[in-house]
Amino acid sequence: MFTIITGAQFGDEGKGKIVDMMASHYDIIARFQGGDNAGHTVVAEGKIYKLHLIPSGVLFDARLLIGPGTVMNPGILMEELAMLSENGVGVPPSKLGIDAKTSIIMPYHIALDRLRESKRTVKIGTTSRGIGYAYIDKVGRDEIQMADIADKNRFLKRLDEIAPQKEAAIKELGGDPMIARSEIDDYINIGVKLRPYITDVSREINLALKQGKKVLAEGAQGTHLDIIHGTQKFVTSSSTVAGSACASLGVGPTKVSNVIGVIKAYITRVGEGPLPTEQKNDTGEHLRDKGGEFGTTTGRPRRCGWFDVPLALKSTNLNGYTSMALTKLDVLTGLDTLKLCLGYELEGKRLDYPPEHSDEIARCKPVYVELPGWHEDISDTESFSALPENARLYVEMLEKLIGVGIEYVSIGPGRKQTFMK
Ligand code: GDP
Ligand code: IMO
Ligand code: MG
């Protein structure tokens, strides 16, 4: 069985919580794209784990894999392993495998990301983690891979080849060219420590599937941050949609069993870019306060708005979802009236699907339907039928409009706060 989970909006949908919830049923959990721009939260036994690189199934027995389509900052990985160890969660090489081809984020990627962003007149609002520049090097065939840092001579030779152009690029953007060759010893030391973790992720997964084992691919970011299909230029630099899991993990599409979309009961976005239903008012404040909508990685306040059906419809197309996990329904509690964006008005025309260009999306005026809210606390609800009537109506309306079954409903960050619909 091969399951893919992706975020159906702009990230932070609650993928970490949903992966943790499902992890005990899987033998392997694999990250397939992105890097430590991701921040996936798992709340378990009174502790909050903020994971950036380690798959969110870490608290269970499953084998964890970091695939070759990811970009990995080894220092951040070491910090994460230390944090887990301090919490009594050991992650030895028998538990975690990192593909030999995983792209390594170097100090110059981070420097270039920051310098470029500071020069942009229209900002993207990146996480400053060097993600974009690491992917540029992958496509440009100038990447340094996991297997390179684990082999000192190969790493230094590769760096000699690459560093001069990085020095020039940093200088051109007004930065310090010395960064290009900084932290080399740290990378070499970490490379030695990570050597035992190196594996061939595609081979492991295909073997597991042949043995009838269960594999879960954990997406990072969200569908509308996809490098090809998202709201460019306000996107991340990897393919965040479900198909990317196959290409990036080296698993054929014929092996996919199901694709689950994680989607919030409203919408958020961190960083710049269009968000037609954004609420810069009391409603937005309610969602941010009650939903704790501050970036897991950067701490930035997330922009909040009403649920956007056209964007959800596009997500179902891009991912081929077989079911959805609806999160943060509890955050809507206490609002007298809820609004659902059914479509947009753009230059006198009514649209029920997002236009292709970001400028056009930014000019779209949402067309809403209003629904009655509820005031009862739902955070302890154990079944769909126990929800207040208006909450049931809201979920049923979403399901009908998206056209994909809502399999799970999440009503709080904790493990017990999910039920099947
Ligand atoms: P991810 O990036 O998709 O894994 O999501 P994040 O972890 O960045 O952000 C989701 C936040 O919402 C985290 O703080 C979660 O603990 C929290 N969360 C997840 N599901 C729910 C829910 O149903 N209700 C509430 N109130 N919080 C939730
Ligand atoms: P998870 O996995 C929300 C956003 C950034 C910025 C844009 C590009 O936790 O859902 P980047 O650093 O990737 O070049 O930034 O993408 N972004 C995210 N937004 N959740 C994330 O990850 C994100 N990862 C990147 O805010 O707008
Ligand atoms: Mg997040």
Side-chain angles (χ1 to χ4, degrees):
M1 183 183 191
F2 182 43
T3 301
I4 304 169
I5 291 191
T6 66
Q9 292 158 322
F10 292 97
D12 306 323
E13 297 90 349
K15 299 175 291 293
K17 166 170 169 163
I18 299 300
V19 170
D20 170 74
M21 179 191 81
M22 301 183 66
S24 65
H25 303 292
Y26 286 83
D27 300 289
I28 291 179
I29 321 268
R31 270 283 303 271
F32 58 91
Q33 44 70 231
D36 63 301
N37 49 349
H40 297 176
T41 314
V42 173
V43 179
E45 282 142 26
K47 288 183 183 166
I48 300 176
Y49 299 89
K50 294 184 178 185
L51 304 166
H52 301 287
L53 290 165
I54 305 267
S56 301
V58 65
L59 302 181
F60 292 90
D61 290 336
R63 172 125 171 103
L64 308 173
L65 296 174
I66 295 179
T70 57
V71 287
M72 199 255 285
N73 181 326
I76 300 284
L77 181 70
M78 295 312 283
E79 281 173 22
E80 212 162 303
L81 291 174
M83 177 276 287
L84 287 163
S85 169
E86 279 161 26
N87 283 285
V89 185
V91 187
S94 57
K95 182 161 180 70
L96 172 69
I98 305 167
D99 197 273
K101 289 175 182 285
T102 299
S103 265
I104 296 298
I105 295 187
M106 298 294 295
Y108 49 78
H109 293 134
I110 298 168
L112 287 165
D113 186 0
R114 291 190 174 150
L115 288 165
R116 180 71 190 99
E117 184 72 1
S118 73
K119 294 276 189 296
R120 284 194 170 102
T121 44
V122 180
K123 310 265 183 231
I124 294 174
T126 73
T127 58
S128 304
R129 300 301 176 111
I131 306 296
Y133 278 85
Y135 277 115
I136 288 174
D137 277 356
K138 180 182 273 301
V139 181
R141 290 152 296 180
D142 281 330
E143 72 185 326
I144 287 177
Q145 301 183 334
M146 179 62 234
D148 296 328
I149 62 161
D151 177 332
K152 184 178 171 184
N153 291 336
R154 197 154 87 189
F155 176 52
L156 292 176
K157 205 167 147 213
R158 192 82 179 118
L159 204 59
D160 276 344
E161 188 192 341
I162 293 166
Q165 44 132 333
K166 298 300 170 195
E167 284 162 357
I170 291 170
K171 212 167 151 188
E172 200 184 319
L173 286 168
D176 176 3
M178 299 286 280
I179 292 168
R181 288 179 193 267
S182 62
E183 296 175 42
I184 293 174
D185 289 342
D186 294 343
Y187 275 72
I188 292 169
N189 290 336
I190 296 176
V192 171
K193 289 188 185 133
L194 292 182
R195 204 183 290 147
Y197 289 85
I198 295 178
T199 189
D200 179 337
V201 162
S202 166
R203 191 174 182 193
E204 269 202 47
I205 293 181
N206 280 287
L207 186 66
L209 291 173
K210 274 186 196 124
Q211 292 169 343
K213 290 185 177 167
K214 293 180 176 173
V215 179
L216 177 64
E218 173 181 354
Q221 290 79 53
T223 297
H224 301 295
L225 293 175
D226 183 88
I227 186 66
I228 297 172
H229 300 284
T231 55
Q232 293 93 348
K233 68 178 187 188
F234 311 98
V235 292
T236 191
S237 298
S238 64
S239 174
T240 59
V241 295
S244 161
C246 290
S248 300
L249 293 173
V251 183
T254 49
K255 300 285 190 288
V256 179
S257 317
N258 55 337
V259 184
I260 301 173
V262 185
I263 196 158
K264 271 184 210 185
Y266 49 99
I267 200 163
T268 63
R269 175 165 205 164
V270 58
E272 304 304 319
L275 187 65
T277 61
E278 182 169 11
Q279 298 298 300
K280 293 179 182 168
N281 52 26
D282 288 351
T283 303
E285 284 300 319
H286 169 105
L287 297 172
R288 189 173 308 110
D289 287 352
K290 206 152 185 269
E293 296 296 359
F294 295 88
T296 310
T297 298
T298 59
R300 290 177 292 176
R302 295 176 184 147
R303 300 156 61 198
C304 301
W306 296 116
F307 191 95
D308 187 318
V309 174
L311 285 176
L313 288 173
K314 183 161 179 170
S315 294
T316 63
N317 279 350
L318 295 178
N319 291 279
Y321 290 134
T322 52
S323 69
M324 311 294 291
L326 181 71
T327 60
K328 304 194 100 162
L329 186 65
D330 55 303
V331 176
L332 297 179
T333 302
L335 293 166
D336 292 330
T337 305
L338 305 176
K339 291 187 185 182
L340 266 178
C341 168
L342 298 183
Y344 312 120
E345 257 176 36
L346 179 65
E347 282 137 26
K349 280 196 195 125
R350 170 74 193 255
L351 307 177
D352 54 15
Y353 200 75
E356 282 264 82
H357 203 280
S358 288
D359 283 354
E360 291 173 313
I361 303 178
R363 292 202 306 277
C364 280
K365 299 271 170 288
V367 178
Y368 292 112
V369 63
E370 291 195 359
L371 297 168
W374 61 90
H375 289 268
E376 300 91 327
D377 181 5
I378 62 166
S379 55
D380 290 328
T381 312
E382 286 175 0
S383 68
F384 186 66
S385 60
L387 282 177
E389 187 186 0
N390 289 346
R392 286 203 309 273
L393 279 176
Y394 184 78
V395 175
E396 273 163 357
M397 182 102 164
L398 284 187
E399 195 168 43
K400 204 166 123 206
L401 289 166
I402 304 170
V404 178
I406 293 175
E407 193 176 0
Y408 304 100
V409 179
S410 171
I411 35 114
R415 276 185 169 166
K416 289 189 180 141
Q417 294 172 298
T418 318
F419 54 79
M420 290 193 78
K421 180 172 174 293

